[in-house]
Amino acid sequence: METGNYFEENEKQPSKKLTPEKVVNILEKHGTKVSNEEAFIILGFLRKLADIAVNQYLSVKKD
């Protein structure tokens, strides 16, 4: 797969950004009720966790 084609295809797709409202709906479907404020906090934590995971992965690749 060429990287140019990959990015062109993804630009055409709608944004899949995870919002607090989407988090509330996803968790509600699985039986967990959270407020929008709690969902916002959960998203912040997940973003920090993802950032740490990516940084660790990239630092291992450099070594």
Side-chain angles (χ1 to χ4, degrees), residues 4 10 13-14 23 29 31 36-39 56 61:
N10 282 340
Q13 295 181 8
V23 170
K29 287 178 184 177
N36 280 349
E37 185 178 327
E38 291 170 323
Q56 284 184 341
K61 286 287 188 180

Side-chain angles (χ1 to χ4, degrees), residues 47-61:
R47 287 186 178 117
K48 285 181 184 180
L49 189 61
D51 188 45
I52 291 168
V54 169
N55 284 333
Q56 284 184 341
Y57 177 79
L58 293 176
S59 70
V60 170
K61 286 287 188 180

Side-chain angles (χ1 to χ4, degrees), residues 14-61:
S15 174
K16 295 184 180 181
K17 190 170 187 174
L18 198 53
T19 63
E21 292 80 16
K22 288 181 184 179
V23 170
V24 169
N25 290 333
I26 291 168
L27 291 175
E28 200 170 75
K29 287 178 184 177
H30 294 279
T32 302
K33 294 186 184 239
V34 296
S35 67
N36 280 349
E37 185 178 327
E38 291 170 323
F40 182 80
I41 293 168
I42 291 168
L43 276 175
F45 172 75
L46 291 175
R47 287 186 178 117
K48 285 181 184 180
L49 189 61
D51 188 45
I52 291 168
V54 169
N55 284 333
Q56 284 184 341
Y57 177 79
L58 293 176
S59 70
V60 170
K61 286 287 188 180

Side-chain angles (χ1 to χ4, degrees), residues 1-11:
M1 175 191 305
E2 295 178 28
T3 55
N5 291 340
Y6 174 78
F7 289 113
E8 289 173 13
E9 290 173 9
N10 282 340
E11 287 178 9

